[in-house]
Amino acid sequence: MIPSLPEPLEPLRELAYNLRWAWDHDSIELFRRLDTDLWESTGHNPVLMLGSIDQMRLVSAAADDSFLAHLERVSRALESRMGQNSWFRRVHSPAGKLLVAYFSAEFGLTECVSIFAGGLGVLAGDHVKSASDLGVPLVGVGLLYQQGYFRQYLSQAGWQQEEYVTNDFHNLPLRPLVRPDGKPLTIEVQFPDRAVTARIWWAQAGRVPVYLLDTNVAANSRADREITGELYGGDNEMRLKQEILLGIGGYRALEAAHVQPAVYHMNEGHSAFLSLEHVRRLMERYQLSFPEARELASPSLIFTSHTPVEAGHDYFAPDLMGHYFTEYYRGLGLSRHDFLALGRRNAGDHDEQFCMTVLALRLASSSNGVSKLHGEVSRRMWKAIWPGVPADEVPIGHVTNGVHYRSWISNEMNQLYDRYLGPQWREAANGVIWKRVETIPAEELWRTHERRRERLVAFARRKLRDQLKRRGAPQSEIEAAEEVLDVQALTIGFARRFATYKRATLLLRDTERLKRILCDAKRPVQIIFAGKAHPRDGGGKELIQRIVALARDPEFRRHVVFLEDQDMAISRYLVQGCDVWLNTPLRPLEASGTSGMKAAANGALNLSTLDGWWDEAWRTPRPDSELIGWAIGNGEPYNDPGQQDQVEAEALYDLLERDVVPTFYALGPDRLPRRWIAQMKGSLKNLCHTFNTHRMVREYTERFYLPAYERFARMEADSAAAARALASWMSMARCEWPQVRVEALEEGPAGQAKVGDLVGVRARLRLGALAPADVIVELYLGALDAAGELVQPASFPMRHAGSPGNGEHVFEATGVPCCRSGLQGYTVRVLPHHPDLAARFVPGLITWAS
């Protein structure tokens, strides 16, 4: 059954099935015009809305000239956005047949398509939206969960409960892919003793299609139909089955749909099995061995890690991997040991579990964290994969996350930016345009923000009243919900996943001091909390229970609210209406965090510990007079988490008492908080041009996608001739590397060299059967600390200076500057060199002078 639309309204069908409406205020307003209440009750789902609306309302709209004009305007805007004019075509038009396949276990495209749990999925959705806006040729690949993530509600005791609501795919903005005969398009993935079938659905998000796999089909057993039942549901074996389906099944789904990507981007380790399927298909296509196909596949594989928390990475027992992959790895020509080594930090440790992140890091040519700090943490976390490589040089970079502004900025702020910044602000990444924020009149900016706070308070009261009714609260408590919060009070928002390291209750550590801050009659403060704990995270649930208990305390009731079942709609109200966005993760466990970016784009000020993106934003140079928010602490390391909690809680209270609250309530003669508004403008000018997904996707495109496409094309040419040659060379290099050693260092720097002197070093090496052109030899020079370790070292190339015989080679570096005084040290290292190597460091191939 499909909606029945009068002919003049037929364009509504195309609009409903293209998710671009989710980030276009004019499109949303069009659907609201049909029936505002139905728009809300259907969960902002235009497909369900059009199938449920009273037909007479449609007939009336079809005869309404004003509505039809609005419909035509929105339809033309969609047609224009689907056209060829885009940033990518303007800047990279000769990019050939680049197509990127972006794999993610979750996609947060819009609240009515519930196939995401939190930040990872929302980031993936924002990545897709910016790729659409910028015209980057990209497709998404994920799983279509029958029940998605859980719905949260609280018991009378304030304990989180979970319920799962079944997604009705036929009433969502999704369509099934079909074969030419009209039957559903499906793929198969081999599991032990059986094949599992998956149907392919697709969602169109602007220019970008997102393909989603669904195993709830008649061909499968009841157990296999549950593989796509719940996001992150079930035990470790269920997780493995989901990730096999995502990686291997997703790759096959693209083939079945005749989609031919040149580059594959793994968003977290969940999809890392696609790298093995990519290798397998290249082996078949070009008749390659596994090592040859691996060298061919690697340049086209990109991996992004999203968590520095060890528990956030997937590990599977060797026996479980053997159960599901024995036939698969035999087909690759691998032994059990060699296959499991692909997912182990220490390839020789037979007891180590198989890690999806390690698999991705070993096979991808480019890997990155999601903030500058997370890149540093990731290099330390995974350095064992590259033994002998200094942590600072481990080949894991960073691309700082962003947010898709059109999805998160309020309509009022959208209009304000259009009026004073010009329509180019939607490109988001232009710092010159964002400096125009200074032209926005202070009163207009403040009144716009106040209207959003008023709407947030009204929304929070409605939500609180509804959840109290569901909970069976006393009538007096339900009626009191109408009086919580104050539309003029300083409003703090805290909304994120309730993992213990995010420390949602840090602010509650000293309730007496908190009471003095919140309940000041002249300068009241209020806090709105929202967020879910993982169903198996008892510690996270306890944090929620503690907040709910405080919110019930008569002294706090008007100042503290917890909103149940956080989703994208609740998040939008919060980031658009709060004055301050609070973030208190335990450094350095927050990889990036993006909620604060959304709040900042709406004019809120961040109050956060120096972790994730905020560490980067806070430390970015800016004019001293331009404040952007507040930092809790200085990012100092602590050995005792309890002490860290105490120190940072005190710092948080101090900031609120001495800076945040006084600044908010310091009104001028015109009743405007001028200092606060100045900080709002400073935040907008300094943050918005950087912390957005338009900048992020451009960075991925230019730093990773396009170079990967070019490398892969070069390696694939002439039936993969370059990949075959590289694999042969790598085999020889691995075989000969044990013979590589530095025999002696000669003519080192003089003991009393002066700053500015030029020094030289000579070294005698043995290379086995390798030629001098097969290696890079470097002088490694830096200051020495008290432990005799090099501090902030630099490397300088050494050139081949001759072969005196006996299998020795001499390399030398000359004209190396002495840049600073003090005790200096140096050594020499040897790396493999081949013009087609995708990475500077190859695991296990580095030799240092003794």
Side-chain angles (χ1 to χ4, degrees), residues 581-593:
W581 196 256
L582 180 64
N583 191 30
T584 52
L586 189 68
R587 177 186 169 101
L589 300 182
E590 182 84 283
S592 176

Side-chain angles (χ1 to χ4, degrees), residues 780-784 789-794 820 823-827:
Y780 199 69
L781 173 70
L784 288 174
E789 298 292 331
L790 291 172
V791 179
Q792 295 181 334
R820 55 188 169 184
L823 188 61
Q824 305 287 304
Y826 70 95
T827 186

Side-chain angles (χ1 to χ4, degrees), residues 793-809:
S795 60
F796 301 89
M798 301 179 72
R799 68 178 184 86
H800 185 240
S803 304
N806 300 320
E808 289 190 346
H809 299 272

Side-chain angles (χ1 to χ4, degrees), residues 163-405:
E163 67 175 340
Y164 292 87
V165 177
T166 300
N167 282 319
D168 179 2
F169 302 152
H170 296 279
N171 272 319
L172 292 175
L174 306 170
R175 285 170 168 155
L177 284 184
V178 295
R179 302 185 319 200
D181 61 5
K183 294 182 179 179
L185 183 64
T186 61
I187 55 97
E188 287 187 351
V189 177
Q190 286 299 132
F191 279 26
D193 305 320
R194 67 194 187 282
V196 172
T197 300
R199 187 177 185 178
I200 308 169
W201 298 74
W202 64 289
Q204 189 69 32
R207 294 181 173 102
V208 176
V210 179
Y211 298 100
L212 303 166
L213 298 181
D214 163 30
T215 63
N216 188 16
V217 297
N220 291 330
S221 67
R222 179 179 295 274
D224 288 339
R225 294 175 76 156
E226 291 297 320
I227 292 173
T228 54
E230 296 177 15
L231 173 60
Y232 304 142
D235 57 13
N236 213 37
E237 184 173 2
M238 176 59 81
R239 176 69 67 89
L240 177 60
K241 290 190 284 189
Q242 288 184 336
E243 296 185 0
I244 291 171
L245 181 67
L246 173 61
I248 297 175
Y251 192 97
R252 295 178 184 178
L254 293 178
E255 289 188 319
H258 304 292
V259 176
Q260 298 179 316
V263 176
Y264 295 85
H265 186 169
M266 297 173 279
N267 189 45
E268 243 330 338
H270 309 119
S271 59
F273 289 136
L274 83 83
S275 61
L276 294 176
E277 184 68 2
H278 190 33
V279 170
R280 188 187 72 83
R281 293 295 289 124
L282 292 174
M283 289 173 66
E284 294 177 353
R285 187 181 307 165
Y286 294 112
Q287 299 302 298
L288 303 175
S289 66
F290 180 85
E292 292 169 338
R294 177 179 178 174
E295 299 298 344
L296 176 55
S298 180
S300 63
L301 295 171
I302 295 161
F303 170 60
T304 298
S305 174
H306 284 265
T307 177
V309 180
E310 188 66 42
H313 300 270
D314 292 326
Y315 290 86
F316 300 111
D319 287 345
L320 184 62
M321 291 297 297
H323 181 62
Y324 279 88
F325 278 93
T326 296
E327 292 303 317
Y328 193 92
Y329 68 66
R330 286 175 179 169
L332 295 173
L334 297 177
S335 66
R336 173 185 170 93
H337 168 77
D338 289 343
F339 171 70
L340 293 176
L342 293 171
R344 288 170 168 163
R345 282 181 170 93
N346 180 355
D349 184 351
H350 296 279
D351 296 322
E352 185 180 335
Q353 292 194 322
F354 188 98
C355 177
M356 296 294 283
T357 300
V358 174
L359 174 64
L361 289 169
R362 286 193 181 278
L363 291 185
S365 63
S366 300
S367 300
N368 67 279
V370 290
S371 69
K372 183 178 180 181
L373 179 60
H374 181 228
E376 296 170 5
V377 172
S378 296
R379 287 189 286 276
R380 295 195 299 270
M381 188 173 186
W382 303 106
K383 66 181 181 179
I385 298 173
W386 292 271
V389 176
D392 289 346
E393 294 186 272
V394 166
I396 302 174
H398 79 276
V399 176
T400 301
N401 279 348
V403 297
H404 183 258
Y405 284 167

Side-chain angles (χ1 to χ4, degrees), residues 401-403 405 421 424-425 427-435 437 597 600-601 613 617 620-623 626 628 681-696 698-699:
N401 279 348
V403 297
Y405 284 167
L421 276 62
Q424 295 88 350
W425 77 267
E427 293 280 324
N430 189 320
V432 174
I433 289 174
W434 283 98
K435 291 186 184 301
V437 164
M597 302 177 192
W613 82 282
T620 299
R622 61 185 183 276
E626 290 186 347
I628 60 172
K681 291 187 174 183
S683 173
L684 292 168
K685 285 192 299 180
N686 286 281
L687 301 181
C688 287
H689 65 90
T690 298
F691 298 101
N692 62 81
T693 44
H694 276 37
R695 185 274 311 157
M696 182 191 81
R698 284 176 176 173
E699 194 170 343

Side-chain angles (χ1 to χ4, degrees), residues 16 192 286 301 338 369 451 533 544 650 674 741 842:
Y286 294 112
L301 295 171
D338 289 343
R451 284 196 295 274
I544 294 174
E650 292 289 337
R674 290 281 177 175
R741 61 183 182 272
V842 177

Side-chain angles (χ1 to χ4, degrees), residues 496-570:
R496 55 191 37 84
R497 185 166 53 91
F498 269 67
T500 51
Y501 77 85
K502 293 179 182 286
R503 300 189 299 181
T505 56
L506 187 69
L507 186 61
L508 279 56
R509 194 173 179 90
D510 184 342
T511 54
E512 286 304 313
R513 192 172 179 183
L514 179 63
K515 185 192 303 181
R516 292 196 298 271
I517 294 171
L518 300 188
C519 302
D520 186 316
K522 294 183 179 179
R523 302 190 306 187
V525 180
Q526 55 203 18
I527 312 168
I528 304 176
F529 290 93
K532 300 177 180 179
H534 188 280
R536 292 191 290 273
D537 183 1
K541 291 182 178 183
E542 288 175 3
L543 298 180
I544 294 174
Q545 189 176 42
R546 186 177 171 197
I547 291 169
V548 172
L550 186 76
R552 289 177 173 174
D553 185 312
E555 293 186 283
F556 285 95
R557 180 172 293 163
R558 294 193 64 209
H559 300 270
V560 179
V561 170
F562 183 90
L563 301 181
E564 296 176 12
D565 199 31
Q566 180 199 7
D567 61 7
M568 292 177 79
I570 290 176

